[in-house]
Amino acid sequence: VGDVPAAAQSGVATELANLDKQLAEANKRLVDTVGQGGPNFVQNAILGPLADKRKASLDRIAIDIGRTGAARPQGLDQFAKCSLG
C-alpha cells in the first residue's frame, strides 16, 4: 500500500471517518434491535445496508486518489462486507 497523495488526504480522511461512523452506527443498531425481525433481519436491515455504505465510501476514496493522477486503488470493494463474529 502506497502513501496517499497530499491532494487526496483530506477526502480520504473524511471517508475513513465515515467508515468508522458507519460501523459504530451498525453496532448500535445491533444492540438496539436484539430479538427483532425474522431470521434475515440482521443481514437485510443492518449488514446489507452497511456494506452498501462502506462500498460507497471506499469508491470515494479510490476516486479521490485517482483524481490526483496517482493510480486509482483497485479491489477496495473486498473491504465493504462485514459479518458478525
Side-chain angles (χ1 to χ4, degrees):
V1 176
D3 292 328
V4 174
Q9 287 180 359
S10 176
V12 170
T14 297
E15 293 307 324
L16 291 174
N18 283 339
L19 289 170
D20 287 341
K21 181 180 174 187
Q22 293 161 3
L23 188 57
E25 289 171 349
N27 282 331
K28 183 178 183 330
R29 285 201 68 208
L30 285 169
V31 170
D32 292 348
T33 60
V34 169
Q36 292 183 16
N40 296 318
F41 175 80
V42 170
Q43 179 60 43
N44 294 337
I46 300 173
L47 295 181
L50 174 61
D52 293 341
K53 290 176 187 177
R54 288 174 59 86
K55 183 182 179 315
S57 288
L58 293 166
D59 287 346
R60 286 189 294 270
I61 287 172
I63 289 167
D64 284 342
I65 292 172
R67 283 183 180 150
T68 68
R72 186 174 171 168
Q74 301 296 312
L76 295 181
D77 289 354
Q78 68 180 323
F79 302 111
K81 290 184 180 180
C82 292
S83 62
L84 297 177

